[in-house]
Amino acid sequence: MGERFVVVPVDGGVRVAVEGVHSDAVVSDPAPDTGSSTTGGGTVDDREAGEDSVFESQDPDAVVPILEYNREPNKYGDGVPKENSPFINNTDIDKGNSYDGTNMALFEEEMDSNPMVSSLLNKLANYTNLTQGAQEHEEAEEDEGPKKKAVKSPQMGTFMGVYLPCLQNILGVILFLRLTWIVGTAGILESLAIVALCCSCTMLTAISMSAIATNGVVPAGGSYYMISRSLGPEFGGAVGLCFYLGTTFAGSMYILGTIEILLTYIVPKAAIFVAEKKEDEVDALLNNMRVYGTCCLALMSIVVFVGVKYVNKLALVFLACVILSILAIYAGVIKTIFEPPDFPVCMLGNRTLQNHNFDSCLKMEVIGNMTVTTKLWKLFCDGSEFDATCNEYFINNNVTSIQGIPGLISGVISENMWSVYGPLGMMVENKNLSSFGGSDPAQDIYMPYVVNDITTFFTLLVGIYFPSVTGIMAGSNRSGDLRDAQKSIPIGTIMAIATTSFIYVTCVVLFGACIEGVLLRDKFGDSVKGNLVIGTLSWPSPWVIVIGSFFSCCGAGLQSLTGAPRLLQAIARDGIVPFLQVFGHGKANGEPTWALLLTAGICEIGILIASLDAVAPILSMFFLMCYLFVNLACAVQTLLRTPNWRPRFKYYHWALSFLGMSLCLALMFISSWYYAIVAMVIAGCIYKYIEYRGAEKEWGDGIRGLSLNAARYALIRLEEAPPHTKNWRPQLLVLLNVDSDQGVKHPRLLSLTTQLKAGKGLTIVGNVLEGTYLTKDAEAKRAEQNIKSSMSTEKTKGFCHVVVSSNLRDGFSHLIQSAGLGGMKHNTVLMGWPGTWRQSNDPQSWKNFIETVRETTAAHHALLVAKNVDSFPTNQDRLGEGTIDVWWVVHDGGMLMLLPFLLRQHKVWRKCKMRIFTVAQMDDNSIQMKKDLQMFLYHLRLDAEVEVVEMHDNDISAFTYEKTLVMEQRSQMLKQMQLSRTEREREAQLIHDRNTASHAAINDKAESGPEQVHMTWTKEKLFTERNRNRECNANVAVRDLFNMKPNQSNVRRMHTAVKLNEVVVNKSQGAHLVLLNMPGPPKNRGGDENYMEFLEVLLEGLNRVLLVRGGGREVITIYS
């Protein structure tokens, strides 16, 4: 670093030092840690030197977020994500070159923590955003040397980077295997409604997602990253895991689709389980799916484990298969106008027949001038003879053949407009054909009819169809590969959804216009010799669709198995879900091995379900929940108008986000209300787990902003009117003391707070440090940390407030006046009794106590003073049978009644009974008092024993008289001792001042110095005079002490304290806790010390005492 000039003040003067590499004249550049854990921290001296800078960021959260996102495995998962920012937290190396020259000397102090704009812009220009995905894994595998290959800057545009991946992910298995069946079952109109519902949901979600994705740089992490950074770690973790489960079950669905195509349409003879009876066909198919699906899953997992580069290289092939298949469908539709394909469907009456086992759709045919029965005859009769016993329905109805695909202009669209729902086993019938009775339902199940394999209804079809519109996150997941992610993600995603919506709508209409209704409702193509129904429509051959859909499902399955483990790995490395930590590890190149194993295990569950129609609603739930929270995130951020919410995508509105959120929620319950509840319970459990056990994260999320807004609104509402008596509860300000190491002196005070509050209401734990804030800053922070730690240990829920003041008296006054905010202010002060006030040399301790009592009274706050607080029970103690004794001498608004009731709500005091003692004077009717008090407690709904104690006006005893006299003599003596101490200090100061003056007046000769001092001072004369005056004063003072007579007012007060103490000790010495009215301090401050004596006498011989002083308002009421 080049030399620079620094102005350093020395003893009021100014000197200029040249700072070089080895300069000792000035401190080294501080390197404060402003939040990034990759930045050097500097030494202690460095940090202290940097504290004087006004512009220096002291807040660790003041880091400007996300400019370079490091995705190495060991760089995840502490309090702040490893995001490096060139704005503030530059490293020491950067600082070396951050400033050179004198034309900006005014700002040179800020150069240590804040970079020049030129260096900031230079860093932004060189910024790269690595993806979390296949690219770095491939590079790690291919790289043999010690150094990694240089990362190429991302060059993908909107079409290749977003549009095509979204298209590939959205179009898939449901389009090829189930859309024709959905159109046939629901009819064209209801199918259009299903498509419109689902596509509107994804379009609205895409708008919200675009807003979030363009609000700053989104590292590859897709929906999990967006939701967790927008709604916080709890929502992020819950929804991230839901999205993970959805992606995993999507893998199951694609694998099941692959196997269905393989076993039903490509090689039906490969089936291991073959049904001998027709009723066993469904079970046999499911078992085949389980066996082949498990094998396929194992194979795909091995492919993903070996290396995802193979999957990525095949992605284009899979996409080509999807596009070719869709083009083949449109070509086939156009061809039906001129030349419909020949796919006859054989009907018996109005019932559709499976034509696997017969060729001609005839009962009898003529062969060589002979009429013979056909294979169809043998299926319905017990022999091939004409006189064989046949099924009655077969005899009564004719066999007809209709064209399965009559063509676009055939008018079949009018027949397919309306829905045909039905139960399991219902036959697929054409209502336009005649049918005559004679059917026997018990026999029909064995006949080769095409029947419903599941019970169908509208909401089921919604759940089955929805997975065909998922996949809209594919673009945002690849944001790291894009040349301009903020431009490409919105355009590409919305265009892809518009394209696929157009494809789905046109397919619904074209399928309904081209294909006969009975063939549409034939799910597996049994009526057209086991052909794929959509394949019969395609051109040039059904095999185009069969092969295309097979490879499409394979590719989608592989991509699910590739993406899901990485998503789980990202969640695990973020460290928000502790039990997932193990899944953050992987191979040397970062491949998520353990996550892949878990994904394969969960995927196997879906495969064991074996039915595509049963798995589809499961993953619909998880995706819908994810989309719901994307919409919620956008709505919350928009409504809060947080300063950082500045999306480049402008075509969003909170109303659209709420509509999308409502639509997602509605679709969840429409699809399957019980799956929706299960998905919500899973997400809720994860949310609560992260809340209680997860790592603390601060990502600047919207929920925190929402909480702040809600708190502000509630505080403003609270301030409108004071709380009603029914709502009154002690809102505590706890005045704590700390020792010299800033450790909490009396943690049992916090235990008492917890037992009194049980987590309800406001608790502020306050502490005062003596000094100035600039010098005591570090101690104040340490004290605050220690108090918070003690609060956590004692389970005290509340806030900590440490004040640094020039003296304790003012500090406590400031706390009592200013603690709390708006309507959330304390109404009760809790403090410990100063037990060592008699032994203390400094009277300021008990004077501070009395002034605090006066100030709480002036502020109309209630006051609780705990004596022997260290003997109070901990939260782990369980007090046995015993009593809480209340001595109700003066009515204080009901505080004495309310406190035992609140204490008994806690486990510690639950078994204790409440006793109330009140004091009767000579002219009181004690029997009537007891009855009235019992009735009062009955109306208050409090269970307590009542006792009236009579205190007679006895003569003041000699003991009381003497005790008062001793108290006053002691007080007088202490005042004189204090006076003499002050006098001595004043004299010492006088001598010091004269000494200083004499040194200034004499010559600089060292040997003559002491002699001149003796010549200037007249010590002997001074000491003699002083001692004579002191002895005279002392004799007078001693004489006055022995001739003193006690003040009559003090004698009466002492009499009350002694007599009341005798009664209380007699009745309540064995009680677990004694609550007692606290007398007010005297108006004349001269009697403060006597007041402390009175309280000490009053409490003598009692173990746990809580002195209570009301705040001047009623706190308990008999009314409901």
Side-chain angles (χ1 to χ4, degrees):
M1 186 172 75
E3 293 184 345
R4 74 174 186 213
F5 291 89
V6 182
V7 179
V8 183
V10 179
D11 296 329
V14 175
R15 68 181 174 85
V16 177
V18 180
E19 180 186 355
V21 179
H22 301 292
S23 173
D24 296 319
V26 290
V27 295
S28 60
D29 287 338
D33 186 356
T34 54
S36 171
S37 47
T38 56
T39 306
T43 63
V44 176
D45 294 331
D46 291 342
R47 283 195 291 274
E48 287 176 356
E51 281 172 3
D52 295 332
S53 171
V54 177
F55 298 96
E56 182 168 320
S57 172
Q58 300 291 343
D59 182 6
D61 295 327
V63 182
V64 181
I66 317 174
L67 278 183
E68 185 176 335
Y69 198 79
N70 198 330
R71 297 212 162 266
E72 294 176 29
N74 57 348
K75 297 287 183 75
Y76 258 96
D78 61 353
V80 180
K82 301 293 183 177
E83 294 154 355
N84 233 344
S85 166
F87 286 87
I88 292 174
N89 54 338
N90 42 340
T91 60
D92 295 332
I93 300 165
D94 298 328
K95 267 189 288 181
N97 302 317
S98 65
Y99 173 71
D100 188 12
T102 56
N103 55 348
M104 282 289 167
L106 181 61
F107 294 96
E108 65 184 3
E109 292 298 328
E110 279 70 58
M111 298 305 159
D112 297 328
S113 55
N114 304 334
M116 288 290 290
V117 174
S118 55
S119 64
L120 161 68
L121 295 176
N122 183 41
K123 286 186 179 183
L124 282 172
N126 295 329
Y127 161 70
T128 59
N129 184 353
L130 296 178
T131 68
Q132 178 197 359
Q135 185 176 341
E136 65 265 45
H137 297 316
E138 284 182 38
E139 290 171 359
E141 283 183 351
E142 293 170 2
D143 184 28
E144 299 297 331
K147 292 180 105 179
K148 284 195 173 183
K149 298 195 313 191
V151 180
K152 295 176 184 176
S153 58
Q155 291 299 323
M156 294 178 80
T158 305
F159 186 76
M160 287 296 291
V162 181
Y163 181 75
L164 289 183
C166 282
L167 212 63
Q168 182 185 359
N169 276 266
I170 294 171
L171 299 170
V173 61
I174 301 294
L175 170 66
F176 301 122
L177 294 183
R178 291 291 181 270
L179 192 57
T180 52
W181 174 72
I182 289 172
V183 172
T185 307
I188 293 173
L189 293 179
E190 288 187 29
S191 298
L192 286 174
I194 293 172
V195 172
L197 266 176
C198 297
C199 291
S200 303
C201 176
T202 53
M203 181 61 85
L204 291 169
T205 305
I207 291 169
S208 299
M209 185 195 74
S210 300
I212 298 171
T214 58
N215 186 48
V217 181
V218 176
S223 60
Y224 163 68
Y225 184 90
M226 287 190 288
I227 293 167
S228 62
R229 268 57 175 182
S230 297
L231 291 179
E234 293 89 0
F235 278 113
V239 179
L241 284 174
C242 281
F243 192 54
Y244 163 74
L245 290 171
T247 310
T248 305
F249 276 106
S252 301
M253 186 185 75
Y254 291 127
I255 291 171
L256 289 173
T258 305
I259 303 305
E260 187 175 309
I261 294 167
L262 180 72
L263 292 181
T264 311
Y265 308 114
I266 298 179
V267 277
K269 293 182 180 176
I272 298 171
F273 299 93
V274 180
E276 295 179 1
K277 299 178 183 177
K278 182 176 180 292
E279 62 268 27
D280 296 334
E281 285 179 358
V282 174
D283 292 334
L285 176 63
L286 294 181
N287 287 330
N288 283 321
M289 299 277 268
R290 288 182 182 111
V291 173
Y292 277 96
T294 304
C295 297
C296 183
L297 173 63
L299 191 66
M300 285 184 176
S301 300
I302 290 168
V303 169
V304 172
F305 180 77
V306 167
V308 291
K309 58 182 177 182
Y310 304 114
V311 179
N312 290 335
K313 285 172 182 173
L314 290 170
L316 209 58
V317 176
F318 298 140
L319 179 61
C321 291
V322 175
I323 293 170
L324 283 173
S325 301
I326 290 167
L327 292 175
I329 293 168
Y330 283 116
V333 168
I334 295 167
K335 184 173 178 292
T336 61
I337 300 171
F338 316 108
E339 185 186 345
D342 183 30
F343 282 100
V345 176
C346 191
M347 309 291 294
L348 175 61
N350 64 357
R351 298 178 181 178
T352 313
L353 298 177
Q354 298 181 357
N355 68 349
H356 292 295
N357 300 320
F358 60 90
D359 298 318
S360 55
C361 185
L362 298 165
K363 291 184 181 180
M364 292 170 282
E365 58 184 345
V366 179
I367 299 177
N369 295 328
M370 280 186 66
T371 303
V372 293
T373 57
T374 60
K375 290 181 180 179
L376 181 60
W377 180 282
K378 294 172 187 174
L379 294 174
F380 284 91
C381 302
D382 57 6
S384 58
E385 301 82 15
F386 288 109
D387 57 353
T389 305
C390 295
N391 180 275
E392 188 179 351
Y393 188 84
F394 180 73
I395 295 168
N396 294 340
N397 290 275
N398 293 325
V399 176
T400 53
S401 180
I402 61 171
Q403 196 53 254
I405 302 177
L408 191 63
I409 54 175
S410 63
V412 75
I413 188 170
S414 59
E415 298 172 16
N416 292 332
M417 277 290 177
W418 312 108
S419 59
V420 187
Y421 299 119
L424 170 68
M426 186 187 87
M427 296 177 193
V428 176
E429 298 174 341
N430 186 336
K431 299 297 181 184
N432 295 330
L433 298 177
S434 58
S435 172
F436 300 98
S439 64
D440 178 9
Q443 292 296 319
D444 288 345
I445 60 171
Y446 301 108
M447 300 298 136
Y449 296 124
V450 177
V451 295
N452 281 359
D453 65 329
I454 55 172
T455 303
T456 53
F457 43 90
F458 178 78
T459 56
L460 172 82
L461 299 186
V462 173
I464 291 173
Y465 173 76
F466 188 80
S468 64
V469 295
T470 60
I472 61 172
M473 300 287 180
S476 63
N477 288 351
R478 296 159 191 259
S479 61
D481 296 325
L482 302 173
R483 192 182 303 116
D484 184 359
Q486 298 197 359
K487 179 184 173 186
S488 297
I489 289 174
I491 295 172
T493 306
I494 291 170
M495 287 302 296
I497 292 173
T499 306
T500 52
S501 300
F502 172 78
I503 290 171
Y504 284 131
V505 169
T506 53
C507 281
V508 166
V509 174
L510 294 175
F511 291 165
C514 293
I515 305 175
E516 182 63 48
V518 290
L519 181 55
L520 284 173
R521 294 196 295 281
D522 180 6
K523 188 187 283 187
F524 299 109
D526 291 322
S527 60
V528 285
K529 294 195 177 295
N531 273 305
L532 180 61
V533 175
I534 198 172
T536 59
L537 184 63
S538 65
W539 179 88
S541 164
W543 286 101
V544 175
I545 293 278
V546 172
I547 300 300
S549 60
F550 177 77
F551 281 114
S552 164
C553 290
C554 274
L558 278 170
Q559 286 189 332
S560 294
L561 285 177
T562 306
R566 278 170 182 74
L567 180 60
L568 181 64
Q569 189 181 38
I571 297 169
R573 286 178 175 175
D574 255 355
I576 56 172
V577 187
F579 70 82
L580 291 181
Q581 294 289 351
V582 65
F583 299 109
H585 307 299
K587 290 198 293 187
N589 63 345
E591 192 71 29
T593 313
W594 292 106
L596 178 61
L597 284 173
L598 180 68
T599 304
I602 296 171
C603 210
E604 179 63 20
I605 295 170
I607 285 166
L608 292 176
I609 295 172
S611 168
L612 189 70
D613 305 318
V615 173
I618 295 175
L619 66 104
S620 295
M621 287 308 118
F622 291 123
F623 278 120
L624 276 165
M625 183 161 282
C626 177
Y627 297 165
L628 185 150
F629 281 104
V630 169
N631 284 302
L632 176 65
C634 180
V636 166
Q637 298 276 37
T638 308
L639 286 173
L640 288 178
R641 294 177 185 162
T642 48
N644 191 50
W645 179 247
R646 303 184 298 275
R648 287 200 174 279
F649 180 77
K650 299 297 181 189
Y651 307 101
Y652 68 93
H653 193 268
W654 64 265
L656 290 177
S657 299
F658 267 117
L659 180 62
M661 191 173 72
S662 308
L663 203 53
C664 288
L665 194 62
L667 282 172
M668 283 176 72
F669 282 93
I670 286 171
S671 304
S672 172
W673 63 267
Y674 45 89
Y675 278 151
I677 291 171
V678 169
M680 286 178 166
V681 167
I682 290 172
C685 290
I686 297 166
Y687 179 96
K688 296 308 287 183
Y689 177 81
I690 294 171
E691 190 177 50
Y692 284 116
R693 295 290 309 279
E696 285 295 323
K697 299 282 178 181
E698 178 47 69
W699 286 331
D701 51 85
I703 292 296
R704 193 173 178 85
L706 198 62
S707 302
L708 283 169
N709 264 14
R712 180 186 62 85
Y713 175 76
L715 284 170
I716 291 169
R717 287 290 304 274
L718 275 175
E719 208 168 16
E720 289 174 3
H724 191 272
T725 303
K726 287 186 282 189
N727 296 328
W728 196 95
R729 65 163 66 242
Q731 317 285 9
L732 289 179
L733 169 63
V734 185
L735 299 180
L736 269 188
N737 285 330
V738 294
D739 54 27
S740 56
D741 296 327
Q742 280 72 52
V744 176
K745 270 188 183 176
H746 303 294
R748 295 290 174 85
L749 210 55
L750 294 174
S751 305
L752 177 62
T753 306
T754 305
Q755 293 154 25
L756 195 60
K757 302 288 291 177
K760 305 292 190 299
L762 173 71
T763 302
I764 302 171
V765 180
N767 172 247
V768 177
L769 294 179
E770 208 166 357
T772 61
Y773 186 69
L774 291 176
T775 57
K776 295 278 187 176
D777 179 30
E779 287 180 34
K781 285 187 170 61
R782 191 157 66 246
E784 189 170 343
Q785 286 300 321
N786 291 342
I787 292 172
K788 282 182 178 175
S789 174
S790 293
M791 288 172 70
S792 175
T793 306
E794 300 295 340
K795 297 180 181 173
T796 306
K797 295 179 181 175
F799 308 99
C800 177
H801 196 171
V802 176
V803 171
V804 181
S805 178
S806 56
N807 60 69
L808 296 176
R809 160 85 183 75
D810 290 347
F812 285 124
S813 178
H814 295 155
L815 272 178
I816 290 169
Q817 292 176 62
S818 63
L821 181 66
M824 283 293 278
K825 289 184 78 71
H826 60 278
N827 55 29
T828 307
V829 176
L830 171 62
M831 59 197 296
W833 171 258
T836 59
W837 71 274
R838 277 178 171 163
Q839 290 77 35
S840 173
N841 292 325
D842 184 11
Q844 204 58 44
S845 60
W846 54 264
K847 285 185 177 177
N848 286 344
F849 172 79
I850 295 175
E851 287 302 311
T852 305
V853 174
R854 285 196 174 100
E855 290 200 346
T856 55
T857 307
H860 301 291
H861 292 157
L863 176 65
L864 308 177
V865 178
K867 189 197 175 196
N868 297 334
V869 71
D870 292 328
S871 69
F872 274 62
T874 65
N875 293 326
Q876 286 71 42
D877 293 340
R878 298 290 179 266
L879 296 178
E881 298 290 335
T883 60
I884 300 175
D885 286 359
V886 176
W887 284 84
W888 192 20
V889 181
V890 182
H891 180 56
D892 56 355
M895 274 288 285
L896 281 167
M897 313 290 182
L898 188 61
L899 291 174
F901 169 76
L902 294 173
L903 280 174
R904 288 177 64 213
Q905 306 301 307
H906 197 274
K907 293 178 213 171
V908 173
W909 303 91
R910 192 160 290 161
K911 291 182 180 177
C912 296
K913 291 180 180 176
M914 180 174 161
R915 293 195 302 180
I916 295 184
F917 297 89
T918 189
V919 178
Q921 301 297 321
M922 273 297 290
D923 51 352
D924 292 329
N925 184 343
S926 57
I927 297 171
Q928 188 59 40
M929 272 183 73
K930 183 170 183 178
K931 284 182 181 176
D932 292 344
L933 183 52
Q934 284 171 337
M935 183 55 67
F936 181 55
L937 290 175
Y938 175 76
H939 286 308
L940 287 176
R941 290 92 63 204
L942 294 174
D943 296 323
E945 295 177 20
V946 174
E947 193 169 335
V948 178
V949 177
E950 294 181 355
M951 281 186 68
H952 303 292
D953 286 341
N954 295 339
D955 292 334
I956 296 172
S957 65
F959 169 74
T960 306
Y961 193 88
E962 189 177 339
K963 199 168 182 69
T964 312
L965 182 59
V966 169
M967 173 188 79
E968 292 189 357
Q969 286 175 347
R970 178 180 179 274
S971 177
Q972 192 67 28
M973 198 179 298
L974 282 173
K975 280 180 184 172
Q976 289 177 6
M977 286 170 64
Q978 182 68 22
L979 192 65
S980 63
R981 188 188 303 123
T982 310
E983 196 178 55
R984 283 199 304 272
E985 287 170 359
R986 195 183 298 121
E987 286 169 3
Q989 184 65 37
L990 182 64
I991 292 168
H992 174 72
D993 293 344
R994 290 183 177 180
N995 189 11
T996 308
S998 67
H999 272 286
I1002 63 172
N1003 294 326
D1004 290 332
K1005 294 179 182 179
E1007 64 276 2
S1008 63
E1011 294 169 1
Q1012 288 183 4
V1013 171
H1014 283 295
M1015 287 167 63
T1016 309
W1017 286 8
T1018 55
K1019 271 186 182 179
E1020 293 80 1
K1021 184 177 178 181
L1022 179 68
F1023 287 155
T1024 307
E1025 188 68 22
R1026 187 190 65 188
N1027 287 335
R1028 194 178 72 234
N1029 289 338
R1030 184 178 292 165
E1031 283 167 11
C1032 180
N1033 291 338
N1035 291 333
V1036 172
V1038 170
R1039 202 162 50 245
D1040 287 347
L1041 277 177
F1042 284 108
N1043 293 333
M1044 273 182 73
K1045 287 187 178 180
N1047 183 292
Q1048 285 304 310
S1049 173
N1050 287 345
V1051 171
R1052 286 202 314 275
R1053 286 188 172 90
M1054 182 63 79
H1055 175 68
T1056 306
V1058 169
K1059 296 302 290 182
L1060 191 55
N1061 175 257
E1062 284 176 7
V1063 176
V1064 174
V1065 170
N1066 182 36
K1067 296 282 187 181
S1068 301
Q1069 196 165 22
H1072 286 315
L1073 179 64
V1074 176
L1075 281 85
L1076 191 64
N1077 282 116
M1078 182 178 186
K1083 291 179 182 176
N1084 178 16
R1085 282 181 165 74
D1088 283 358
E1089 190 177 6
N1090 298 339
Y1091 173 69
M1092 294 296 288
E1093 281 286 354
F1094 297 144
L1095 290 182
E1096 196 73 65
V1097 170
L1098 182 62
L1099 305 179
E1100 198 172 349
L1102 296 171
N1103 183 21
R1104 295 181 193 136
V1105 185
L1106 197 60
L1107 287 170
V1108 180
R1109 186 161 172 75
R1113 61 162 294 166
E1114 292 292 332
V1115 300
I1116 194 165
T1117 177
I1118 62 173
Y1119 299 106
S1120 62

